[in-house]
Amino acid sequence: MQELGVILMAAGQGTRMRSSLPKVLHPVCGKPLFLHALTKARELRPKRVALVIGYGAERVRQAYSANDVSWVIQEQQLGTGHAVLSAQKAFDHFEGDLLILSGDVPLIRTSTLHAMVEHHRRQRAALTLLTASLDQPKGYGRILRDDRGALTGIVEEKDATDEQRKIREVNAGVYVGSARFVFAALSKVTNHNQQGEYYLPDVVAIGLDQGKIVETVRVGDACEMMGVNTREELAFMEKTLRESINQKWMLAGVTLKDPETTYIDETVSIGKDTVIGPNTQLMGKTVIGERCRIDGSVFLTDALIGDEVHLRFSVVMSSCRVARGAIIGPFAHLRPGTDLSADVHIGNFVETKEAKIGEGTKANHLTYLGDVTIGCDTNIGAGTITCNYDGFHKYRTAIGDRVQVGSDTTLVAPIKLGDDVYVATASTIRHDVPAGALVFNQREEQVREGWTEQKRRKMKGRSK
Ligand code: UD1
Ligand code: CA
C-alpha cells in the first residue's frame, strides 16, 4: 500500500477578500476556512501533512493547536507551484502519493478525495486532478482537451483566449500525484504567464509531454469544489454549510422551527427531541442536552446545557454551564463562569457572571449576580445587586441555602450570608450575617398626611 501525504496550500493573502485577516482564517460556520479542508484530508489518515503558510503565518499557526502537521513557510507567494515546491523538504525520502489541496475549498468531501486516490492508484497515474463543470466558470483554470476529449493541459482565466474562456470544465484545484513526479515536474515550471506566477496546474502539460498518465476525476456536486475568493463567496459557503449542518441535526432528531434563521456552528452538538425556535445562534463548543426548549432569539457561545432546560425568548450566554431542568429568561444574560445547578430559575433582566448557583435557587427579576456563590433553594428578590467592584478589585459574595433576599437589596462584597438568613427588603448589607438571622437596615418610616394635595396646589400656583 502506497503512503499518502497531504499538502494544504494556505499562504496567500486572499487579496480579493480585501481584509487584513489572512483569507484562510475567515471563519465559515465558526471554523477557520483552512481547517475545513484540513479536517476532510485528515480523514484519509495521511502519513504526513504539510501546511504551506506565508501571509499572516503566525496567526494561521495559532489557529491550529495540534502539533501533528509540518508548517512550511513560503516567504514570498510566487504561485501555487512555488507553494508546493516549498513543501518538498517536508517530504524527504517520501515515496508515496501526495494529495494537494487549497485552504480555501471548505466543502470538499472526504468521499471525493478518497475516490480520487483510488482512481489514481487503479490507473497507475502520475497525476490525477479533480474537475467540475460549471455554468459560470469565471475565475477558474479551464481544462483543455483535444478533439478526442483527451486532456492536454490547463489554462488560467487570465491567460486564456476568448475561445478558451467558453470552456465550462474547470480545474477544481485538488490533485493527487506521486511525490516524485510532482516535485520533479515543478522544478521545470516557469512563471512566463500573465500573473508572473509559478502555476501548479502547469505540471499537467509537463506530465503529458513526458508521456505520463494524467487522469481527471469529475466531482459529483460542483458545490464541493467552490473556492472562497471574495466575501460574497464566503457568504455563499456559510449558507451552504449552514444548511447541511441544520439538515444533519434535523435528521438526528432535533426540531428546528425555522432552519432559515438557525445558525449552528460545526463544532456544536445537540441532543434529540430538543426544539429550537427562530433566530437562534449556537456557537463554538456549545453542547445542548436532550428535550430542551429554546424559544428563540438566543445567542449561545461555548455553553454547556443539560437535558430539559428551557431557554425562554432572548437569552445570551457565553462560557456557561447550565444543569438539567433549569429555566432561563426571557431576556437574561449569562456571562462567563456562570454555573447553574439543576432546576435553577433565572428570569427576566437578570445578569450573572462567575456565579455558582445551587439547585432549585431562583433569581427571577432585575438582578445582577457577579462573583457569587449561592446555595440551594434560595430566593433572590427583584432588584438585588451584588456590589462586587470598588473600582480597583473584584470581591466575592457567598449566600447559603434557603436564604430569602428581599427585593431591592444591595450586597456589598466581600460578604457572606449564612444558611436560612432573611434579608429585609430595601437593605444595604455590608457585613457577614450568621446563619438563621434576620438582617435589615434601621430606618424610620414617615407619613405626612395631605402632603400630595398641598404640593400640587403649590406647583399649580408656580406654573401660572
Ligand atoms: C487556482 C488554480 C485554478 C483553479 C482554482 C480552483 C492555480 C494557478 N490556479 O486558482 O486553476 O481553477 O485554484 O480553486 O493554481 N497559495 C499559496 N501560495 C501562493 C499562491 C497561492 O499558498 O503563492 C494558496 C492560496 O492561499 C490558496 C490556494 O493556494 O489557498 C489557491 O490560490 P488562489 O490564488 O486562490 O488560486 P486561484 O486563483 O483560485
Ligand atoms: Ca482560490
Side-chain angles (χ1 to χ4, degrees):
M1 186 65 179
Q2 282 274 44
E3 287 192 348
L4 186 71
V6 168
I7 298 179
L8 187 87
M9 300 178 284
Q13 175 180 4
T15 326
R16 290 165 278 181
M17 294 292 283
R18 304 200 183 282
S19 175
S20 55
L21 189 68
K23 173 168 82 176
V24 293
L25 287 186
H26 281 264
V28 176
C29 292
K31 198 159 105 178
L33 193 51
F34 79 105
L35 289 184
H36 289 269
L38 182 62
T39 310
K40 307 298 172 49
R42 277 217 156 283
E43 283 168 26
L44 301 186
R45 311 216 164 282
K47 279 276 169 343
R48 292 187 212 181
V49 178
L51 260 63
V52 183
I53 53 174
Y55 182 80
E58 241 352 271
R59 291 166 82 184
V60 179
R61 208 194 280 236
Q62 277 166 14
Y64 186 73
S65 48
N67 55 3
D68 52 3
V69 299
S70 317
W71 296 97
V72 172
I73 307 279
Q74 185 195 17
E75 296 288 353
Q76 276 182 297
Q77 287 82 58
L78 303 178
T80 49
H82 181 257
V84 171
L85 202 52
S86 350
Q88 187 170 14
K89 48 190 176 296
F91 291 91
D92 257 0
H93 308 297
F94 180 85
E95 290 297 324
D97 294 319
L98 292 175
L99 166 65
I100 303 168
L101 67 174
S102 302
D104 65 351
V105 285
L107 301 180
I108 191 81
R109 286 192 202 147
T110 308
S111 55
T112 302
L113 300 178
H114 189 73
M116 278 183 78
V117 174
E118 292 283 291
H119 182 92
H120 176 80
R121 289 179 177 169
R122 216 179 308 118
Q123 301 300 318
R124 303 185 184 284
L127 184 75
T128 299
L129 51 129
L130 189 67
T131 73
S133 188
L134 300 183
D135 290 339
Q136 291 178 350
K138 193 163 184 284
Y140 290 93
R142 307 297 204 282
I143 303 294
L144 305 178
R145 295 185 183 272
D146 65 17
D147 299 343
R148 286 170 304 149
L151 180 69
T152 57
I154 298 179
V155 63
E156 289 305 302
E157 164 107 11
K158 289 193 173 129
D159 303 292
T161 62
D162 287 348
E163 208 51 38
Q164 288 170 330
R165 286 191 185 149
K166 289 182 189 149
I167 299 172
R168 287 169 40 191
E169 191 186 5
V170 303
N171 170 24
V174 182
Y175 317 78
V176 178
S178 91
R180 192 186 293 201
F181 165 73
V182 169
F183 292 129
L186 279 173
S187 67
K188 299 197 171 64
V189 168
T190 66
N191 63 352
H192 304 148
N193 51 53
Q194 280 297 324
Q195 306 191 77
E197 286 183 6
Y198 296 88
Y199 291 163
L200 175 58
D202 284 1
V203 299
V204 171
I206 292 172
L208 292 168
D209 262 2
Q210 295 174 346
K212 305 271 191 212
I213 302 174
V214 181
E215 286 286 311
T216 58
V217 169
R218 276 286 178 117
V219 67
D221 177 0
C223 266
E224 259 188 72
M225 51 69 67
M226 303 287 255
V228 173
N229 298 304
T230 63
R231 304 262 184 171
E232 209 178 350
E233 285 163 353
L234 185 71
F236 172 82
M237 232 26 108
E238 177 94 28
K239 186 171 191 300
T240 310
L241 190 59
R242 185 185 343 128
E243 282 166 4
S244 80
I245 292 172
N246 287 351
Q247 195 180 29
K248 174 182 86 177
W249 289 117
M250 290 188 279
L251 283 171
V254 175
T255 295
L256 305 184
K257 288 194 170 178
D258 184 17
E260 290 274 311
T261 63
T262 304
Y263 300 74
I264 304 171
D265 278 356
E266 219 189 19
T267 38
V268 167
S269 123
I270 310 171
K272 74 173 196 274
D273 286 322
T274 281
V275 177
I276 297 179
N279 261 322
T280 295
Q281 299 188 51
L282 307 178
M283 288 163 301
K285 299 192 183 78
T286 292
V287 177
I288 312 247
E290 296 185 358
R291 300 175 302 283
C292 289
R293 280 161 64 197
I294 299 183
D295 290 352
S297 288
V298 160
F299 191 91
L300 308 187
T301 313
D302 300 336
L304 299 181
I305 311 261
D307 295 338
E308 289 167 10
V309 167
H310 183 184
L311 303 185
R312 291 173 158 160
F313 185 79
S314 200
V315 171
V316 176
M317 282 193 203
S318 57
S319 305
C320 293
R321 202 187 68 94
V322 176
R324 162 191 285 273
I327 302 175
I328 319 285
F331 306 106
H333 185 189
L334 275 54
R335 294 169 47 205
T338 296
D339 183 350
L340 309 183
S341 302
D343 302 315
V344 163
H345 292 192
I346 297 292
N348 31 206
F349 308 108
V350 174
E351 175 181 345
T352 63
K353 185 215 78 170
E354 290 291 340
K356 192 169 166 36
I357 301 184
E359 209 170 307
T361 286
K362 300 186 171 95
N364 270 329
H365 333 264
L366 302 158
T367 285
Y368 174 62
L369 298 172
D371 301 311
V372 64
T373 305
I374 307 178
C376 303
D377 298 316
T378 281
N379 189 67
I380 306 291
T384 297
I385 308 285
T386 52
C387 310
N388 59 331
Y389 186 47
D390 61 5
F392 303 96
H393 299 288
K394 300 276 169 73
Y395 303 95
R396 291 201 67 90
T397 296
I399 302 176
D401 295 339
R402 299 170 303 278
V403 172
Q404 288 291 323
V405 178
S407 299
D408 190 22
T409 292
T410 48
L411 299 167
V412 183
I415 191 170
K416 281 198 177 88
L417 308 185
D419 292 341
D420 303 292
V421 159
Y422 256 73
V423 181
T425 191
S427 302
T428 298
I429 310 299
R430 299 169 189 279
H431 305 287
D432 292 358
V433 182
L438 166 71
V439 61
F440 58 93
N441 294 144
Q442 202 57 277
R443 77 215 120 169
E444 221 176 295
E445 197 160 279
Q446 299 195 355
V447 177
R448 297 188 187 152
E449 283 189 31
W451 182 91
T452 311
E453 187 55 33
Q454 267 177 24
K455 176 80 177 173
R456 285 184 181 153
R457 221 180 286 143
K458 193 164 135 199
M459 295 312 285
K460 250 190 202 159
R462 270 201 207 159
S463 65
K464 270 179 194 157

